[in-house]
Structures are given as structure tokens and as C-alpha cells.
């Protein structure tokens, strides 16, 4: 049993304060908010040393219509590679911001295990993982956030279009072929419909969570529901990283260890 990412806490504490961003206006799920179960999650590392959390959210249901929406799988990169300091943050205009994947993974753990990512307990478990060389799932031993798995979570999924990457003489570049992808844009509590920031602010003001209005939930739907984000198609073809806006910082860092939502 281990917190696994406890060493990230010092770096995480220096990131900018949190902000809920609606963003701009991924076949896969249409852009909308869905509620599902975190059936699988485990930690991994890329060839270049970047840490990630693989999540599989199953039994998705559209939060507005109630329609079944299948399964969402995503690899959330929570640190950069060894060549960039293996950090959960990046620098912009003299300030530190969390990697988008770190923010999403952290919010998922807060909403499910009720712990920040650095404090989340991981245990070694055997999980069926797809093996690309053998083209099938094989049982492998990985580190799993045991308290988060099996819990309900609400996620805002955003469909976007981007150019497929192909290997050129100077590394990977954009091709002329367009693909659709779906990514987690925001995480909410499945019952309260609140973000981590909204929960944190309400608790700080000693307000009743059950009486809080889902302000950001409604604003996100109004700005994004049903839309396809095409802003990446307007970028030059040789950028290695998509131009996402600065990610929100860890909103509950340093908070007292108590149940946010009155569980058990």
C-alpha cells in the first residue's frame, strides 16, 4: 500500500489557484455531461518517463437525457517526461500551472476516493490491460487507486477534431487526415453536480452542499453541449503539444482530512 505520488505534493503546492473554465465551444460520445462508474484505474509510465493514470469509466449515462453512452477510456498524463523535469506543472508567464491531465485525475480522486492525487492510496492489483503486440487483453500487475475504483463520477466529455500525427523527418507532425477524439474536460460530483472548486468554496463558507446551485454544470452545458471543438485544426502542423488553456490548480490542497460529502 502506498500513496505512490506523494512526492508530487511539494511541486503541486506551488501551482496557481483554481479556476472553473467553461472553455470553447469528442463516433464516440457527443459533447455533454455523463455519469458513470470508475471501473478501472491504474498508474503507468511512458517510455520517456511521464507518469499517467489510465481511467476506464463504464456504464455512462447522459445526465440530461438518461440515454446509455457506453464506456470512456482515457490516459491522463499527470507529469511531464524526464526531459522536462517529470513535473505535474508547467510554467507560463512566470507562473506554474497544473498539467490538464493532473487536474482531471486529481478531481476524479477527490470525487471518488475523497483524497487529493498525492494522498491517494494505491495497491498492487492484477488488471486486464490491452497488449498491442499480441492484440488482446492480458493480466498485468499494476498500481490501482483502490478507494476510487467502483465509485460513481460525473464527467463533462468534449468531442474535438484534430489532425492525425504522422512520423516525418523531424519527428511527428500533423497530417492532412482529421480524426475525432473525446476527452474529459471537467469533473463533477454525480449527485450534487458541483465541481471540486464549488465544493471547496461552499465548505469554506460553511454552506450546505445539498443547497448549492450547480452553476458551473449549467454554464458548461450552455457553452458546450452538442458542439465539436475544432480549434486545433487552426494550429500549425508542427506543434508537439496542443494549446490547452492553463489548468486549474489543486483546489483542496492542505484541506483537513474529512469526508467532503458525508460518506461513511
Amino acid at each position: 500500500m502506498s500513496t505512490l505520488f506523494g512526492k508530487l505534493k511539494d511541486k503541486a503546492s506551488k501551482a496557481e489557484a483554481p479556476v472553473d473554465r467553461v472553455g470553447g465551444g469528442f463516433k464516440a460520445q457527443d459533447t455533454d455531461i455523463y455519469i458513470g462508474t470508475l471501473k478501472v484505474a491504474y498508474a503507468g509510465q511512458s517510455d520517456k518517463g511521464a507518469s499517467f493514470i489510465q481511467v476506464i469509466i463504464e456504464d455512462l449515462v447522459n445526465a440530461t437525457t438518461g440515454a446509455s453512452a457506453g464506456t470512456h477510456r482515457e490516459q491522463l498524463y499527470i507529469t511531464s517526461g524526464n526531459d522536462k523535469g517529470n513535473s505535474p506543472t508547467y510554467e507560463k508567464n512566470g507562473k506554474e500551472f497544473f498539467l490538464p491531465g493532473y487536474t482531471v485525475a486529481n478531481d476524479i480522486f477527490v470525487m471518488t476516493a475523497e483524497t487529493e492525487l498525492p494522498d491517494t492510496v494505491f495497491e498492487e492489483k492484477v488488471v486486464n490491460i490491452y497488449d498491442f503486440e499480441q492484440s488482446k487483453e492480458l493480466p498485468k500487475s499494476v498500481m490501482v487507486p483502490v478507494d476510487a475504483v467502483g465509485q460513481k463520477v460525473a464527467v463533462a466529455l468534449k468531442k474535438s477534431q484534430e489532425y492525425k500525427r504522422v512520423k516525418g523527418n523531424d519527428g511527428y507532425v500533423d497530417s492532412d487526415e482529421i480524426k475525432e477524439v473525446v476527452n474529459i474536460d471537467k469533473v463533477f460530483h454525480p449527485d450534487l453536480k458541483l465541481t471540486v472548486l464549488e465544493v471547496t468554496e461552499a465548505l469554506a463558507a460553511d454552506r450546505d452542499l445539498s443547497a448549492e446551485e450547480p452553476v458551473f454544470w449549467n454554464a458548461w452545458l450552455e457553452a458546450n453541449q452538442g458542439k465539436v471543438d475544432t480549434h486545433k485544426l487552426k494550429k500549425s502542423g508542427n506543434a508537439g503539444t496542443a494549446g490547452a488553456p492553463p489548468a486549474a490548480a489543486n483546489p483542496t490542497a492542505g484541506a483537513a482530512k474529512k469526508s467532503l460529502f458525508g460518506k461513511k
Side-chain angles (χ1 to χ4, degrees), residues 195-217:
T195 67
V196 172
L197 176 57
E198 288 174 322
V199 169
T200 304
E201 291 180 340
L203 291 176
D206 200 27
R207 299 197 300 265
D208 181 2
L209 288 180
S210 64
E212 289 291 299
E213 290 292 326
V215 175
F216 191 78
W217 174 293

Side-chain angles (χ1 to χ4, degrees), residues 23-56:
F26 247 104
K27 179 142 179 192
Q29 295 87 1
D30 291 328
T31 299
D32 216 321
I33 298 178
Y34 300 86
I35 298 174
T37 302
L38 183 64
K39 289 293 182 68
V40 181
Y42 58 87
Q45 194 171 67
S46 72
D47 293 339
K48 294 185 178 181
S51 296
F52 64 81
I53 302 292
Q54 175 72 45
V55 297
I56 301 178

Side-chain angles (χ1 to χ4, degrees), residues 40-253:
V40 181
Y42 58 87
Q45 194 171 67
S46 72
D47 293 339
K48 294 185 178 181
S51 296
F52 64 81
I53 302 292
Q54 175 72 45
V55 297
I56 301 178
I57 304 174
E58 295 184 347
D59 304 322
L60 287 171
V61 173
N62 186 295
T64 302
T65 67
S68 297
T71 299
H72 178 74
R73 295 173 171 83
E74 189 166 348
Q75 208 165 75
L76 302 167
Y77 278 89
I78 61 172
T79 72
S80 55
N82 293 326
D83 58 331
K84 295 184 178 179
N86 197 238
S87 172
T89 64
Y90 66 95
E91 187 273 334
K92 183 176 181 180
N93 297 328
K95 296 181 180 180
E96 291 290 318
F97 297 93
F98 277 111
L99 298 175
Y102 183 99
T103 301
V104 170
N106 182 79
D107 286 1
I108 288 175
F109 291 155
V110 170
M111 292 303 186
T112 54
E114 296 195 6
T115 55
E116 301 290 342
L117 193 157
D119 298 319
T120 299
V121 172
F122 286 74
E123 294 182 8
E124 189 171 357
K125 300 286 185 180
V126 175
V127 174
N128 287 330
I129 298 175
Y130 189 81
D131 187 295
F132 287 94
E133 292 185 359
Q134 299 196 36
S135 300
K136 63 180 180 179
E137 287 190 340
L138 296 175
K140 295 184 180 181
S141 182
V142 290
M143 298 300 287
V144 174
V146 288
D147 292 333
V149 171
Q151 301 295 325
K152 292 282 187 181
V153 67
V155 289
L157 299 182
K158 181 177 285 189
K159 180 183 287 186
S160 68
Q161 291 182 340
E162 61 184 46
Y163 292 111
K164 284 189 176 181
R165 305 284 283 174
V166 295
K167 193 169 184 179
N169 295 331
D170 299 317
Y172 282 89
V173 296
D174 290 344
S175 68
D176 293 329
E177 188 176 353
I178 294 174
K179 66 176 182 178
E180 286 189 338
V181 297
V182 176
N183 294 110
I184 301 173
D185 188 61
K186 199 67 181 178
V187 179
F188 299 89
H189 188 275
D191 300 319
L192 300 171
K193 299 183 178 181
L194 303 176
T195 67
V196 172
L197 176 57
E198 288 174 322
V199 169
T200 304
E201 291 180 340
L203 291 176
D206 200 27
R207 299 197 300 265
D208 181 2
L209 288 180
S210 64
E212 289 291 299
E213 290 292 326
V215 175
F216 191 78
W217 174 293
N218 295 331
W220 192 94
L221 286 174
E222 183 177 355
N224 298 290
Q225 191 174 40
K227 297 180 181 178
V228 178
D229 188 347
T230 60
H231 82 275
K232 292 180 182 179
L233 300 181
K234 302 172 184 177
K235 295 185 176 295
S236 60
N238 56 7
T241 304
N250 185 336
T252 56

